[in-house]
Amino acid sequence: MNIPKIHSISKKILVGALGAFLSFFLLFHASANLLILRHDDGEWYNAFCHFMGTYSIIKVFEIGLLAALLLHAILAIWLAVINKMARPVSYKKPTRSKTHTGSKLQVWTGILIFACLILHFTDFYFVKSGWVKGKYMTKAEKVVALNATQPDAANYAEQHGKYSAKGNWLTNFDKEDKAFLEAAGLEVEPDFYHQAREKFKILHIVISYLVFFTVVWFHLRHGFAAVFQTFGLYNYKYSRAIEILGQIYTWGVCLMFTIVVIGVYFGL
Ligand code: HEM
């Protein structure tokens, strides 16, 4: 089999470009998650998730995002292996360069993020496909409409579900309810608001997410400046500004994630 050869510089540029794209996603993800702190029975957060899961253009983005994540990881590890093979014996005098230590750490924090993401997906993303147990919801108006043709199924939905604050959704269904309601022709989707509010009440889950965010902090702290370096923009003129922007971005994203988890735990 012919494996296409990619020059190391191209790999590095690709890793940087994908990293920049993932950073935008992370800022978007962290900001949107703040909606979990609203006490509105999930009206806003679930409406946002519903929007994200409805339109094909966003579904294409979702596939692109997961592909970017995978490619970013594969290329970064590949580069690290090539670098290691080029210099199998370490330098006699250990380097004290901050960049060198940072990029060595980058591979390990990247691998840890991957492991954390698998756990994160079992908490949320895989609920969508029904691979793990979770909470589900359906549009209330669809249940009302079902009353005319399948009163038993509509009755079941009303008895097992709970109306959201504004009555737009019937929520709180489990996996078995989901199967029953789908068989009756209802569209059922994950109720990520109640899912998050339930998960972040459990101490060991809160702790594991805080560890996750700490690893993300380390990864972003180095990654932010590294992207500018890869594209040749990190020079004496801009380095200070890039450092400050990097600090604001890294702390901003990680604090937004943290506020949600801690906030829910303490009943905010
Ligand atoms: C408070 C912390 C977090 C919460 C409550 C949260 C919540 C969620 C939820 C509900 C989904 C599923 C969304 C959907 O499919 O419609 C999701 C997906 C995802 N999350 Fe998070 N997340 C958190 C932190 C993170 C962090 C720190 C990362 C990465 C470092 C991350 C990366 C992802 C990715 C890659 C996906 C799948 C992409 C997608 O939905 O298209 N999340 N998260």
Side-chain angles (χ1 to χ4, degrees):
M1 195 175 74
N2 271 340
I3 299 173
K5 283 203 171 109
I6 311 174
H7 196 278
S8 283
I9 303 290
S10 320
K11 276 196 221 79
K12 202 161 166 39
I13 288 176
L14 212 52
V15 170
L18 293 169
F21 168 66
L22 293 169
S23 309
F24 279 115
F25 159 75
L26 223 50
L27 183 60
F28 177 67
H29 192 31
S31 325
N33 281 351
L34 291 176
L35 295 176
I36 294 173
L37 291 178
R38 281 178 63 94
H39 284 269
D40 63 354
D41 239 342
E43 292 286 349
W44 282 37
Y45 189 64
N46 280 341
F48 166 78
C49 292
H50 172 73
F51 172 81
M52 297 299 286
T54 305
Y55 297 97
S56 18
I57 180 98
I58 295 174
K59 284 188 185 154
V60 171
F61 170 82
E62 188 178 315
I63 296 167
L65 173 79
L66 296 177
L69 192 68
L70 213 61
L71 200 60
H72 174 78
I74 291 170
L75 288 176
I77 293 174
W78 191 355
L79 268 173
V81 170
I82 290 172
N83 287 346
K84 184 80 193 158
M85 275 166 31
R87 179 85 212 176
V89 184
S90 25
Y91 291 104
K92 259 193 183 155
K93 208 173 158 193
T95 173
R96 293 196 192 285
S97 142
K98 243 168 89 184
T99 325
H100 181 78
T101 321
S103 41
K104 262 171 88 176
L105 199 70
Q106 201 69 347
V107 175
W108 291 109
T109 51
I111 291 171
L112 277 176
I113 288 178
F114 230 82
C116 292
L117 271 179
I118 294 172
L119 291 179
H120 178 46
F121 281 13
T122 58
D123 282 336
F124 295 102
Y125 193 68
F126 294 156
V127 172
K128 236 189 213 179
S129 45
W131 292 352
V132 292
K133 281 191 173 177
K135 290 195 163 291
Y136 297 92
M137 61 183 194
T138 188
K139 277 240 157 99
E141 63 188 52
K142 295 262 168 75
V143 175
V144 174
L146 200 69
N147 235 326
T149 50
Q150 299 184 59
D152 285 350
N155 243 339
Y156 180 96
E158 295 209 330
Q159 274 169 14
H160 288 77
K162 171 177 162 279
Y163 278 101
S164 65
K166 284 192 181 161
N168 291 332
W169 300 97
L170 260 167
T171 65
N172 249 346
F173 295 116
D174 60 22
K175 210 174 153 187
E176 285 72 39
D177 298 331
K178 176 183 187 274
F180 181 85
L181 298 174
E182 277 178 343
L186 278 174
E187 267 177 48
V188 181
E189 49 193 292
D191 174 358
F192 285 133
Y193 174 83
H194 287 103
Q195 181 93 1
R197 286 225 155 239
E198 196 171 83
K199 292 267 171 196
F200 301 147
K201 282 278 176 215
I202 304 166
L203 186 61
H204 74 264
I205 295 187
V206 169
I207 293 172
S208 60
Y209 269 83
L210 294 182
V211 172
F212 180 20
F213 304 151
T214 309
V215 179
V216 169
W217 184 86
F218 275 106
H219 197 75
L220 292 179
R221 197 185 70 141
H222 174 75
F224 193 89
V227 169
F228 286 89
Q229 224 161 26
T230 300
F231 290 103
L233 296 168
Y234 195 92
N235 51 37
Y236 78 97
K237 206 169 151 195
Y238 299 125
S239 61
R240 185 83 192 114
I242 291 170
E243 284 297 334
I244 294 172
L245 205 66
Q247 292 275 0
I248 295 173
Y249 170 82
T250 308
W251 279 105
V253 165
C254 292
L255 282 179
M256 280 196 280
F257 279 133
T258 306
I259 286 168
V260 171
V261 172
I262 302 260
V264 171
Y265 185 73
F266 288 107
L268 207 73

